[in-house]
């Protein structure tokens, strides 16, 4: 008979069986036993101690998205468990595979307001793909196998395992089997042949087709299939925020980013297109603008692995229920070689207007207040300094939109941002996770002075691990994005948005991180050169013009072809 | 699509797993939908549970809700029905002071006409039971009100469809084909 082991030991073995080698976590009373077992596995399970549980989970998200593996988090009960809720919600809406283990009090104390007892399952149910409380050690192999299968397959998402003390301390016979089947759950549906034929016929008849590439393209590894399809049928491609880097920035068919602060051409042309192939995206309101004026001339083909997305935000003409890769690979031989030269050429006007009227002042400013810099020029400079090869991690706000707009991509899985939830404070910990998940790649993190201060304690993690994360604070001394809305839509009443900031360079240095201020354009090149040639972490605190705003803009309530070039002018195709 | 509001019944087939009712009801409450009644029991298929929700809403909204319910792990399928697609029933219990009923000349007629029955009589109270649609149990309620109803409770709706089998069977066949394919592949 096999020797019995504790639940905590079994959890370590189960993680190993699932191929885990890295855990982001923070210990405490209700997870002590698991941490004690982990100590014996420290050669195989690397534990990354972040400085706050929110940091742990965002780091795990960054890790998952940069590596394609499941991010694993372990924290204690009560306040630690509630500290991961933002990250769960973020991972849920941005389809990020996580397994989060929360310690829990003993079974007898459940529901009694015992010390650090909180209803973790109740709190996390709405923001997880699955949440399960392990009360009995015998359930561990089943629960962990299920957790990894659910988190990583289909539309990926976060799973919570609430690990009671009884389950940690109790004994079980060790026996583990990974699973690949749950009766109620089909993570890999086959595309329906009739839907494929309808879609192919639509594409073959299209005169003004447009592909919208979402996050699902990267999650399913469909980049190659997407590019092949676009090239064969000569279809322009636009990406959502999370779909950026699917197709290289300089690919001739890449027409840029969709959405509120996306490029003019793809937004405007959405409403001229006659067929739209939407792949692994969900028609978020930031992408569609006013829904009843969205794509009025188009037949929409919606490809998604999540059936509940069909018709949720927008009615498609045809939907293909499968993973993006399977659908695109099946469509590829069915679509005809085509040329849409006239249609493609018609994007040039909007591109030209955007280049001269919007981008020029960002990239080559001559008139900034106090010689401050603009975000666009900083982002582009740093992107180029990395050969456009880096992983971009952004926070939320103007910095996010500017980074998305001006960073360039040559490789897939190079854009990590909090899209659906828009979580300030995401960036710094996510960059840590990205660097750990993709150690051979340069990781550049852009954030605002506001968002940086939401999770700056993670500088401690960077110091501790000696991680070479490049940190750029685009410092406008304001909650810039809110300021922009206040200026445009609230009569310039800057309610609670000015920030009096500490000396960020001194803060970085206190953590042993090299840092410097960039006060004006003359200091930019040298600072970027020093940052990129440094072998370690590096922080730039860049003086950004406070009044700068992100444009173009599809204002809230506007249609995607009603695009502001600046506060006063609108894009017009006949200009 | 119909934006018109009316009463719908949502039938959800699930595995026997804890916490599912909670997960499903969150989907309704998140959209501000008020669940009018809920009931759950075994189904005709072994090990598969069946939940019944009734709601007052429009088809378009509820079809989106169905999609989100089906997305839950351990939910097998969910179906949306209007009242004419199902046979449904509710049960109501009325507790009335016995003394008041004894004085009533029409008691027999009331019980007979409403197809109700008496479950228990004590010196103090009488418990009457009626099964029927809500309008019917409500009609009896209105009638008994004059005798000072002391307690009343109506169950959630239970239902079966008018088609010959459980609609879940087709799904189960698909799922077992999926399992067979998996087993083939791993050989
Ligand atoms: C956790 C959280 N709180 C509040 C917000 C609302 N919000 C969105 S952008 C923004 C301003 C961000 O300012 P900053 O970090 O300085 O970046 P900037 O916009 O100036 O680049 C705020 C407050 C949010 N997205 N997330």
């Amino acid at each position: 008979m096999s020797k019995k082991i504790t639940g905590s030991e079994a959890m370590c073995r189960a993680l190993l069986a699932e191929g885990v080698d890295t855990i982001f976590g923070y210990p405490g009373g209700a997870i002590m036993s698991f941490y004690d077992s982990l100590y014996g596995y420290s050669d195989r399970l690397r534990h990354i101690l972040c400085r706050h549980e929110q940091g742990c989970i965002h780091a795990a998200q960054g890790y998952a998205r940069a590596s394609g593996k499941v991010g694993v988090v372990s924290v204690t009960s009560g306040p630690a468990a509630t500290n991961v809720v933002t990250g769960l919600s973020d991972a849920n809406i941005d389809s990020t595979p996580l397994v989060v283990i929360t310690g829990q009090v003993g079974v007898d104390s459940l529901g009694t307001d015992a010390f650090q007892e909180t209803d973790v399952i109740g709190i996390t149910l709405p923001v997880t793909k699955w949440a399960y409380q392990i009360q009995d050690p015998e359930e561990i192999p089943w629960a962990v196998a299920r957790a990894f299968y659910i988190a990583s397959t289909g539309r990926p998402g976060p799973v919570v395992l609430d690990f009671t003390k009884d389950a940690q301390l109790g004994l079980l016979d060790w026996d583990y089997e990974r699973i690949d089947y749950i009766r109620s759950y089909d993570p890999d549906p086959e595309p329906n042949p009739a839907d494929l034929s309808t879609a192919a016929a639509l594409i073959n008849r299209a005169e003004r087709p447009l592909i919208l590439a979402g996050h699902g393209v990267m999650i399913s590894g469909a980049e190659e299939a997407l590019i092949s399809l676009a090239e064969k049928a000569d279809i322009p491609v636009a990406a959502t925020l999370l779909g950026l880097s699917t197709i290289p920035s300089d690919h001739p068919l890449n027409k840029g980013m969709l959405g509120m602060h996306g490029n003019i051409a793809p937004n405007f042309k959405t409403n001229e297109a006659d067929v739209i192939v939407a792949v692994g995206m969900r028609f978020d309101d930031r992408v569609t603008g006013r829904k009843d004026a969205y794509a009025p001339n188009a037949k929409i083909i919606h490809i998604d692995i999540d059936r509940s997305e069909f018709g949720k935000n927008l009615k498609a003409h045809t939907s293909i229920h499968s993973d993006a890769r399977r659908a695109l690979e099946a469509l590829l031989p069915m679509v005809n070689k085509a040329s849409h030269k006239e249609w493609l050429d018609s994007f040039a006007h909007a591109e030209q207007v955007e280049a001269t009227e919007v981008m020029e002042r960002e990239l080559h400013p001559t008139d900034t207040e106090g010689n401050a810099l603009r975000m666009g020029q900083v982002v582009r400079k740093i992107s180029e300094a990395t050969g456009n090869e880096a992983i971009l991690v952004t926070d939320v706000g103007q910095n996010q939109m500017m980074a998305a707009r001006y960073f360039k991509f040559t490789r897939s899985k190079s854009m990590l941002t909090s899209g659906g939830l828009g979580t300030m404070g995401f960036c710094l910990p996510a960059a840590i996770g990205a660097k750990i998940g993709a150690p051979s790649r340069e990781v550049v993190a852009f954030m605002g002075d506001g968002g940086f201060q939401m999770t700056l304690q993670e500088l401690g993690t960077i110091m501790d691990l000696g991680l070479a994360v490049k940190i750029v604070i685009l410092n406008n001394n304001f909650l810039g994005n809110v300021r922009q809305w206040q200026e445009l839509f609230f009569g310039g009443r800057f309610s609670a948005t000015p920030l009096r900031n500490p000396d960020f360079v001194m803060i970085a240095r206190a953590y042993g991180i090299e840092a410097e201020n960039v006060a004006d354009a003359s200091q930019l090149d040298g600072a970027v050169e020093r940052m990129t040639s440094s072998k370690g972490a590096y922080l730039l605190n860049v003086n950004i013009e406070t009044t700068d705003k992100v444009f173009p803009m599809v204002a809230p309530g506007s249609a995607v072809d009603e695009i502001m070039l600046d506060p006063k002018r609108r894009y017009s195709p006949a200009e | 699509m119909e934006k018109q509001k009316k009463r719908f019944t949502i039938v959800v087939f699930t595995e026997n797993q804890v916490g599912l009712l909670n997960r499903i009801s969150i989907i309704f409450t998140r959209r501000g939908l008020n669940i009018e009644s809920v009931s759950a029991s075994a189904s005709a298929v072994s090990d598969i549970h069946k939940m019944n929700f009734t709601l007052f809403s429009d088809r378009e909204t509820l079809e989106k809700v169905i999609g989100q319910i089906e997305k839950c792990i351990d939910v097998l399928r969910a179906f949306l029905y209007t009242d004419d697609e199902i046979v449904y029933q509710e049960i109501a219990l009325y507790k009335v002071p016995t003394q008041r009923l004894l004085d009533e000349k029409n008691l027999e007629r009331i019980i007979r006409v409403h197809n109700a029955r008496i479950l228990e009589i004590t010196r103090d109270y009488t418990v009457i039971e009626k099964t029927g649609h809500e309008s019917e149990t409500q009609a009896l309620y209105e009638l008994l009100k004059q005798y000072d109803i002391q307690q009343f409770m109506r169950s959630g709706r239970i239902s079966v469809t008018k088609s010959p089998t459980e609609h879940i069977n087709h799904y189960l066949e698909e799922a077992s084909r999926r399992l067979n394919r998996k087993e083939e592949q791993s050989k």
Side-chain angles (χ1 to χ4, degrees), chain A residues 146 181 183-185 306, chain B residues 15 23 71 74 175 178 182:
Chain A
R146 229 174 178 238
Y181 176 79
R183 180 164 70 171
S184 61
Y185 171 67
D306 179 354
Chain B
E15 302 283 8
R23 200 176 254 288
K71 208 170 126 171
D74 295 323
R178 193 152 49 79
K182 285 263 180 221

Side-chain angles (χ1 to χ4, degrees), chain A residues 35 59 71 83 98 106 154 164 169 206 257 293 333 366 396 422 429 442 467 494 526:
Chain A
Y35 270 81
N83 274 346
L98 296 182
T164 63
L169 298 169
M257 181 171 76
T366 52
V396 170
E442 185 84 272
L467 282 177
F494 299 122

Side-chain angles (χ1 to χ4, degrees), chain B residues 17 21 25 32 35-36 43 51 53 69 79 88 90-91 113 122-123 126 130 136 149 152 157-158 160 167 173 176-177:
Chain B
Q17 281 287 339
L21 181 60
S25 52
I35 302 168
E36 290 195 342
S43 76
M51 299 177 189
F53 297 87
I69 291 174
F79 300 95
Y88 58 96
E90 286 162 14
I91 182 164
V113 167
T122 71
R123 218 181 298 279
T126 297
K130 169 164 179 58
E136 296 164 330
I149 299 173
F152 169 74
R157 174 182 284 196
I158 57 172
V160 292
H167 282 161
E173 284 159 20
S176 67
R177 273 198 296 278

Side-chain angles (χ1 to χ4, degrees), chain B residues 118-146:
Chain B
I118 290 175
L119 288 182
E120 183 173 61
I121 305 179
T122 71
R123 218 181 298 279
D124 298 329
Y125 64 81
T126 297
V127 178
I128 299 170
E129 174 214 293
K130 169 164 179 58
T131 58
H133 289 180
E134 190 184 337
S135 56
E136 296 164 330
T137 53
Q138 190 61 32
L140 182 57
Y141 181 90
E142 297 301 332
L143 225 145
L144 292 175
K145 240 177 18 195
Q146 55 182 311

Side-chain angles (χ1 to χ4, degrees), chain A residues 66-243:
Chain A
S67 70
K69 292 167 72 173
V70 176
V72 179
V73 175
S74 70
V75 298
T76 189
S77 64
T82 54
N83 274 346
V84 302
V85 172
T86 302
L88 288 171
S89 189
D90 195 294
N92 199 42
I93 196 164
D94 281 352
S95 314
T96 309
L98 296 182
V99 171
V100 177
I101 302 160
T102 54
Q104 182 56 282
V105 300
V107 172
D108 286 345
S109 304
L110 289 169
T112 65
D113 291 328
F115 181 63
Q116 295 194 331
E117 186 244 344
T118 191
D119 179 6
V120 174
I121 300 298
I123 292 172
T124 60
L125 267 182
V127 293
T128 49
K129 192 167 171 189
W130 190 54
Y132 188 77
Q133 184 175 67
I134 307 175
Q135 296 195 353
D136 178 345
E138 301 282 353
E139 297 172 304
I140 292 170
W142 171 83
V144 176
R146 229 174 178 238
F148 276 85
Y149 178 58
I150 291 169
S152 61
T153 55
R155 179 174 178 174
V159 169
V160 163
L161 292 176
D162 199 31
F163 197 17
T164 63
K165 273 191 188 170
D166 299 58
Q168 292 177 48
L169 298 169
L171 298 174
L172 71 153
D173 288 314
W174 173 248
D175 183 21
Y176 196 85
E177 222 176 306
R178 298 190 64 182
I179 63 163
D180 62 359
Y181 176 79
I182 293 175
R183 180 164 70 171
S184 61
Y185 171 67
D186 182 3
D188 194 14
E190 223 160 310
N192 176 323
D195 295 340
L196 288 169
S197 315
T198 314
L202 282 172
I203 295 170
N204 289 335
R205 253 180 295 152
E207 287 173 6
R208 299 181 307 282
L210 179 63
I211 292 176
L212 313 183
H215 194 191
V217 179
M218 272 182 276
I219 294 173
S220 64
E223 297 93 333
E224 225 181 280
L226 182 113
I227 295 170
S228 306
L229 185 92
E231 287 173 349
K232 185 175 181 191
D234 203 29
I235 305 177
V237 179
T240 65
L241 180 64
L242 293 194

